[in-house]
Amino acid sequence: KAGVTQTPRYLIKTRGQQVTLSCSPISGHRSVSWYQQTPGQGLQFLFEYFSETQRNKGNFPGRFSGRQFSNSRSEMNVSTLELGDSALYLCASSTALRAREFNEQFFGPGTRLTVL
Amino acid sequence: KNEVEQSPQNLTAQEGEFITINCSYSVGISALHWLQQHPGGGIVSLFMLSSGKKKHGRLIATINIQEKHSSLHITASHPRDSAVYICAVGNRDDKIIFGKGTRLHILP
């Protein structure tokens, strides 16, 4: 069974631009969560989707958005990029219905975004 | 104060030593997770705990709900155990809160 895939793996953007990151979950997984990891803040939860519905959202500004498609693939978008958005963005898929049923999340390799 | 605190932040030990990493939390939780992150970013879920103790190979995780504390132990540590270990809690508002991680380096 293929794992979670994320594209692109590396991305360089400049301030003010926008970016879209993609995540393909493990086949049969309907839950996709997104996380941001920075050296200063560590891992932070961005959002969680289940069957195309956003179930949960972390404390990030509205510049961060996401969606999930009917095939469970998910995208996240960051508009008006800031230097502080430079981070590793990780996605994870799961069979869990909700974060509190966080049985086993399978993480992708991440997309490393650098904002110049 | 962070809602999830891990200690130590960094740990270097010799191969074969018994390792303990601690996690304390201040919120009500539905479950606690231990994650392992190797260089390059890949994260693996090691354990999910809501009570008691779990064991997988040389790894043991315990949780004390009353004291709001969990420990991850590694017996007979090996250089391949070198990684960042992250504690995460799922709170009752369905939020996931992470500790800052413990960077473990096992010397051969």
Side-chain angles (χ1 to χ4, degrees), chain A residues 10-100:
Chain A
Y10 301 91
L11 202 48
I12 299 175
K13 291 284 189 179
T14 56
R15 277 185 301 173
Q17 287 187 307
Q18 76 163 21
V19 66
T20 299
L21 312 181
S22 180
C23 172
S24 293
I26 291 172
S27 177
H29 286 192
R30 294 164 65 189
S31 174
V32 173
S33 298
W34 287 91
Y35 304 89
Q36 182 196 64
Q37 186 175 35
T38 59
Q41 296 297 318
L43 267 169
Q44 293 182 279
F45 170 69
L46 277 159
F47 7 74
E48 178 200 6
Y49 289 89
F50 185 87
S51 291
E52 301 179 68
T53 300
Q54 187 180 89
R55 292 284 195 170
N56 209 345
K57 189 175 190 303
N59 295 327
F60 278 81
R63 300 185 297 107
F64 291 80
S65 63
R67 58 178 175 168
Q68 187 180 33
F69 301 96
S70 58
N71 62 358
S72 294
R73 191 177 71 83
S74 178
E75 287 181 348
M76 69 162 281
N77 184 278
V78 187
S79 63
T80 318
L81 284 165
E82 300 177 0
L83 295 178
D85 298 332
S86 294
L88 180 68
Y89 290 88
L90 292 155
C91 118
S93 77
S94 169
T95 56
L97 177 62
R98 288 185 178 275
R100 78 169 121 221

Side-chain angles (χ1 to χ4, degrees), chain A residues 9 35 37 40-45 56-58 88 90 98-100 102-105 107 109, chain B residues 30-31 33 35 37 40-45 48 86 88 91-96 98-100:
Chain A
R9 292 292 312 279
Y35 304 89
Q37 186 175 35
Q41 296 297 318
L43 267 169
Q44 293 182 279
F45 170 69
N56 209 345
K57 189 175 190 303
L88 180 68
L90 292 155
R98 288 185 178 275
R100 78 169 121 221
F102 197 38
N103 296 336
E104 270 189 16
Q105 292 218 346
F107 284 81
Chain B
S30 54
H33 297 259
L35 311 172
Q37 184 173 29
I43 291 180
V44 175
S45 175
M48 182 190 78
I86 302 168
N91 71 8
R92 298 204 173 109
D93 294 328
D94 279 353
K95 304 294 185 193
I96 301 294
F98 296 90
K100 293 286 176 76

